[in-house]
Amino acid sequence: MASPRRHPVLLLPILALSLALACVWAPAKALDEEIGPEGAPRITLMVPLTPLLVDEYQQLLPAVRRWLAHVADRSGMRMRMQPGSFNRRLAEITRYPDSCTLGMARLPEREKLTNWLSVIRRDRVIFIAQSGDPFQGGMADLLREADNRIAAPSGLYRPILENQGVRYAPVDDQRALARMVALGRIRFGIVLAGTLESPDIRPLGLRTVAEMEPLEYWFTCSRELPASLTLRLAQVLRGTEAEALRRVALGDAQQPSQEAPFNNDGPPTQ
């Protein structure tokens, strides 16, 4: 289906909403954080703006930092953390050979863009509303109701809406997006289910009004990263100790499948 037409008059409320959000919830500028041995080979690790990984100041959560510090130390890598939107993360990993991404949904159209090292979590894309929202219905009903009344991050979320002609407010920070819905600044949001698990989001009184099938999210790196470094990272990520730390950090009750073995000559097939 064709992308939705963006009428200038209809875009004004969306723009105003986005600007208001930026003023109210703009976090302090995230400081670059580095972990791993001094003098070791360096990579930039792009981190999604989700409450499962970063706090409101876009700093790694302590348990996530412990997991990644273990991976950095055991693989002999120096990791520079860079929180950012999906669009920025995709640009980095396809442009710079020393870039990796923490958590990219593995979709067929992305298969050849990056090297897929290890599954870090299974999660669902969900549509959220206030707990008292009267909506009851199926996905088709929801998409009709959500037109011009939903916020969405970049990545796989916006195409879901665009393919159905649904207009949306662009908001990349999923924590801020959930707060927008809780305060009634916008009726619906589309986020990862894990966003609602965050201790600061759980009390906001949000409910899931629709959900999609689970996806696997991977630790991925540039296809141009030297093979020796890619192999080291993949082996450590899949180790027993790293797996235990990952489970604590991400609260993933399900064991990722890891069905596609790492292939040092290129990305494993799905």
Side-chain angles (χ1 to χ4, degrees), residues 196-207:
L196 298 191
E197 299 172 15
S198 176
D200 59 330
I201 301 300
R202 204 178 296 131
L204 294 182
L206 299 171
R207 72 180 180 95

Side-chain angles (χ1 to χ4, degrees), residues 21-41:
L21 176 67
C23 294
V24 174
W25 281 303
K29 185 179 186 300
L31 300 176
D32 290 350
E33 181 177 7
E34 294 193 359
I35 56 177
E38 293 281 356

Side-chain angles (χ1 to χ4, degrees), residues 31 36 50 55 57 64 79 92 122 134 170 176 187 189 193 197 202-203 208 225 228 233 236 248 253 257 267-268:
L31 300 176
T50 165
D55 63 21
Y57 303 106
V64 175
M79 297 183 183
E92 290 280 330
R122 285 196 185 94
R187 183 175 179 187
E197 299 172 15
R202 204 178 296 131
T208 300
L225 187 70
S228 59
L233 277 170
V236 173
V248 171
S257 68

Side-chain angles (χ1 to χ4, degrees), residues 121-162:
R121 184 179 167 90
R122 285 196 185 94
D123 214 335
R124 294 164 291 121
V125 173
I126 61 173
F127 292 77
I128 59 174
Q130 292 180 338
S131 58
D133 189 283
F135 175 79
Q136 297 289 336
M139 182 67 77
D141 299 321
L142 174 62
L143 292 174
R144 282 193 296 271
E145 289 277 332
D147 186 38
N148 215 22
R149 306 169 77 186
I150 188 168
S154 59
L156 60 86
Y157 311 91
R158 293 176 191 172
I160 292 170
L161 302 177
E162 290 170 354

Side-chain angles (χ1 to χ4, degrees), residues 5-16 148 167:
R5 291 178 292 177
R6 309 282 183 174
H7 194 285
V9 174
L10 294 176
L11 281 180
L12 287 176
I14 295 177
L15 179 59
N148 215 22
R167 292 160 294 183

